[in-house]
Amino acid sequence: MIKYESIAKDIQEKIEQGIYKPNDQLPFEAEMCETYGVSRITVKKAMDLLVMRGMVIKRRGSGTFVKNITLPANDEYSFSTSNQFSGFFHTEGHKDVRSEIKEFQIINPPEIVAQRLKITEEDFVYYIERIRYSEGVPNVVEYTYMPIDVIPGIKKDILEKSIYEYISEGLGLKIKSAHRTVRATLPTVQEEEYLEIEHCFPILEVEQVAFLDDGRIFEYSKSRHRGDKLELKTVSVQ
Amino acid sequence: MIKYESIAKDIQEKIEQGIYKPNDQLPFEAEMCETYGVSRITVKKAMDLLVMRGMVIKRRGSGTFVKNITLPANDEYSFSTSNQFSGFFHTEGHKDVRSEIKEFQIINPPEIVAQRLKITEEDFVYYIERIRYSEGVPNVVEYTYMPIDVIPGIKKDILEKSIYEYISEGLGLKIKSAHRTVRATLPTVQEEEYLEIEHCFPILEVEQVAFLDDGRIFEYSKSRHRGDKLELKTVSVQ
DNA sequence: GAGTGGTCTAGACCACCCC
DNA sequence: GGGTGGTCTAGACCACTCG
């Protein structure tokens, strides 16, 4: 559909298939213009996407090259947060992923949550507490708040699958961006039980405020992951 | 110098100064074209920069708005890794930041490090182990490997200041991007001593492979931070 | 000097939002 | 319908790398 996306996708696939190998030089921008029948700015935008994804590097005066790095390991539990959203869907779709809902209520949000969601303490939000299992092993406890005005119609069966799928496919809303803060902590007493760990066990906490396409905030959440089950990958490009 | 950067900088400053407040609508792109005397694509590129920095949001058909979020807290120990490099310099420049060098040698790299740096085990690298203190309190132990061919001339006094300053200003090299993996772990016995903590204390580990402008890898490092002293912020934009 | 990617222009059409 | 940002064009000049 969109030209620069399909060009980026084409090149990315060729890299993943090994047609272009690490350190290989990609075709020049001028060459790609002819190949794909587009203008140079469009090719440039496609390559900039791949730069943001950490897959290629550009050197003025030299060319564009496949990046010099072992590609994101296919760890089931790692999720990547470069500038695309791979990973926003929490590597759903893997075998044997299920959720156990511990709490599901509609409440007035605590002050801090109201601040983060930019709503008042009198508004209503879903409060969801769920444990996510992979291959039968508990990985993460998620504490999620979502304004009912923004995301109406959540039922228990949706939580057991993917909220994100419901938002994008069920409601036709587009997820746009997220601000995340990552910390290392220790589990609470309850989390020791939920995650089947001892007190002296590292927890990777990901606090997230997530935005829709139209600028509304639809989620404030804290995900507290077993330290041995999640690593978070990022690419930063200047 | 570069037009889109200076436009972005101008708008960013106005947001930080409160001239544009959260949820305010920014001038239309067409309007900014006149204000700054540039074409629309240039304005667009400037605004896209601010979108990547998580400062504004664009809505097709409506306009561009200041984002709806408490701005990155000025925690001394938090560093941000959106798509600019704020934070690459480890929030240096704060008062009372100093380093204690525990190891500084030139060695052949272990196999894993050689793989990450894309060199052979016969090449030479600096190996640096240092503790960084802020306000007299140990925050982080850094284990750093740098190829001597890429970053020549490191001396002990450079390590006590900022390696990054030496690379960019001393050597005239440009830092371009970094791949990071973040994990939560527990300290080693030695780190308990270095960081003045007990064994049961969360550690935020940041593993990093860093690239220069010209595509060369100049650093492989693991930074292991006291969990109570660092949080890592990211913005991901689709 | 030849060739690369970086920036920028002036203009066009489209998808989307709101009135 | 009028106006927004999204995509795209064809062409220009510049900064940089490399032989």
Side-chain angles (χ1 to χ4, degrees):
Chain A
M1 182 75 92
I2 292 171
K3 290 186 184 177
Y4 71 84
E5 272 185 2
S6 63
I7 295 170
K9 191 180 165 193
D10 185 56
I11 299 290
Q12 181 166 351
E13 281 170 1
K14 284 177 176 161
I15 292 172
E16 284 165 354
Q17 288 164 16
I19 298 174
Y20 298 125
K21 297 186 181 60
N23 291 322
D24 274 5
Q25 180 160 16
L26 292 182
F28 309 124
E29 294 188 350
E31 204 170 322
M32 290 198 211
C33 293
E34 289 188 16
T35 307
Y36 298 102
V38 299
S39 76
R40 205 185 125 212
I41 285 190
T42 305
V43 166
K44 197 180 169 312
K45 199 163 179 185
M47 292 304 101
D48 285 345
L49 252 185
L50 296 187
V51 168
M52 286 201 299
R53 290 177 189 171
M55 305 197 65
V56 307
I57 190 160
K58 299 202 273 192
R59 305 180 209 169
R60 171 148 42 169
S62 302
T64 305
F65 301 83
V66 178
K67 210 162 183 177
N68 208 352
I69 200 167
T70 30
L71 282 183
N74 276 331
D75 303 354
E76 290 199 32
Y77 307 116
S78 66
F79 68 106
S80 145
T81 61
S82 56
N83 264 48
Q84 83 272 37
F85 257 75
S86 63
F88 204 91
F89 295 85
H90 290 187
T91 46
E92 224 71 35
H94 279 296
K95 52 201 168 184
D96 273 351
V97 175
R98 66 180 183 84
S99 294
E100 182 182 335
I101 287 101
K102 287 291 184 181
E103 291 279 349
F104 178 39
Q105 314 167 16
I106 294 183
I107 59 170
N108 295 114
E111 185 183 354
I112 289 186
V113 175
Q115 284 174 8
R116 293 283 189 277
L117 290 172
K118 297 286 174 189
I119 58 178
T120 72
E121 291 176 57
E122 283 71 46
D123 290 314
F124 287 99
V125 297
Y126 303 103
Y127 173 63
I128 303 149
E129 198 174 305
R130 56 179 185 166
I131 307 173
R132 296 181 75 70
Y133 293 79
S134 193
E135 313 272 320
V137 180
N139 280 320
V140 54
V141 186
E142 293 180 356
Y143 308 89
T144 306
Y145 300 84
M146 293 184 166
I148 61 170
D149 293 340
V150 180
I151 312 290
I154 293 186
K155 308 290 179 209
K156 203 160 186 176
D157 62 324
I158 292 168
L159 298 182
E160 280 159 357
K161 301 171 195 169
S162 169
I163 302 179
Y164 296 110
E165 197 176 303
Y166 173 68
I167 292 170
S168 55
E169 294 176 23
L171 295 175
L173 299 173
K174 282 178 195 158
I175 297 170
K176 174 70 176 186
S177 68
H179 290 222
R180 297 195 184 100
T181 303
V182 183
R183 303 178 191 87
T185 67
L186 295 176
T188 63
V189 174
Q190 194 178 57
E191 286 165 350
E192 292 169 30
E193 183 196 324
Y194 283 174
L195 295 175
E196 298 170 12
I197 54 178
E198 294 171 7
H199 177 63
C200 195
F201 199 98
I203 296 289
L204 189 68
E205 176 181 291
V206 181
E207 184 182 6
Q208 172 168 289
V209 177
F211 293 77
L212 292 175
D213 194 47
D214 61 9
R216 286 182 296 169
I217 297 176
F218 73 93
E219 180 190 89
Y220 170 74
S221 68
K222 279 196 182 182
S223 302
R224 291 172 56 85
H225 302 260
R226 281 179 59 150
D228 58 343
K229 295 294 183 185
L230 183 87
E231 51 186 33
L232 199 140
K233 302 192 182 208
T234 69
V235 177
S236 80
V237 178
Q238 193 175 37
Chain B
M1 181 76 91
I2 292 171
K3 290 187 185 177
Y4 71 83
E5 273 184 3
S6 63
I7 295 170
K9 191 179 165 194
D10 185 55
I11 298 291
Q12 182 165 351
E13 282 170 0
K14 284 178 176 161
I15 291 172
E16 284 165 354
Q17 289 164 15
I19 298 174
Y20 299 124
K21 297 185 180 60
N23 292 321
D24 275 5
Q25 180 160 15
L26 293 181
F28 309 124
E29 294 189 349
E31 204 170 323
M32 290 198 212
C33 292
E34 288 187 17
T35 307
Y36 298 102
V38 299
S39 77
R40 204 185 126 210
I41 285 190
T42 304
V43 166
K44 196 181 170 314
K45 199 162 179 185
M47 292 305 100
D48 284 345
L49 253 186
L50 296 187
V51 168
M52 286 202 297
R53 289 178 189 170
M55 305 197 66
V56 308
I57 190 159
K58 299 203 273 192
R59 304 181 209 168
R60 169 146 49 169
S62 302
T64 305
F65 301 82
V66 178
K67 210 162 183 177
N68 208 351
I69 200 169
T70 28
L71 282 183
N74 276 332
D75 304 353
E76 291 199 30
Y77 307 116
S78 67
F79 65 106
S80 145
T81 61
S82 57
N83 264 48
Q84 83 272 35
F85 257 75
S86 64
F88 204 89
F89 295 86
H90 289 187
T91 45
E92 225 71 35
H94 280 295
K95 53 199 170 185
D96 274 350
V97 175
R98 66 181 182 85
S99 294
E100 182 182 335
I101 287 100
K102 286 290 182 182
E103 292 279 349
F104 178 40
Q105 316 167 16
I106 293 182
I107 60 171
N108 295 114
E111 186 183 353
I112 290 187
V113 175
Q115 284 174 6
R116 293 284 189 276
L117 290 172
K118 297 286 171 187
I119 59 178
T120 72
E121 291 175 57
E122 283 70 45
D123 289 314
F124 287 99
V125 298
Y126 302 104
Y127 172 63
I128 304 149
E129 198 175 304
R130 56 179 185 167
I131 307 172
R132 297 181 75 70
Y133 294 79
S134 193
E135 313 271 320
V137 180
N139 279 321
V140 53
V141 186
E142 294 180 355
Y143 309 90
T144 305
Y145 300 85
M146 293 184 166
I148 62 170
D149 293 342
V150 180
I151 311 291
I154 293 187
K155 306 291 179 209
K156 202 160 185 176
D157 63 323
I158 292 167
L159 298 182
E160 280 159 357
K161 300 171 194 168
S162 168
I163 302 179
Y164 296 111
E165 197 175 305
Y166 173 68
I167 292 171
S168 55
E169 292 176 23
L171 295 175
L173 299 173
K174 282 178 196 158
I175 298 169
K176 174 70 175 184
S177 68
H179 290 223
R180 299 195 184 100
T181 303
V182 183
R183 302 179 192 88
T185 67
L186 294 176
T188 64
V189 174
Q190 194 178 57
E191 286 165 350
E192 292 169 29
E193 183 196 323
Y194 283 175
L195 296 176
E196 299 170 10
I197 54 179
E198 295 172 5
H199 177 63
C200 195
F201 200 99
I203 296 288
L204 189 69
E205 176 181 291
V206 182
E207 185 182 5
Q208 172 168 290
V209 177
F211 293 77
L212 293 176
D213 195 46
D214 61 9
R216 287 182 295 170
I217 297 176
F218 74 93
E219 180 190 89
Y220 171 74
S221 67
K222 278 195 184 181
S223 302
R224 291 172 56 84
H225 302 260
R226 281 179 60 150
D228 58 343
K229 296 294 183 185
L230 183 87
E231 50 185 34
L232 200 140
K233 301 192 183 210
T234 69
V235 176
S236 79
V237 178
Q238 191 176 38

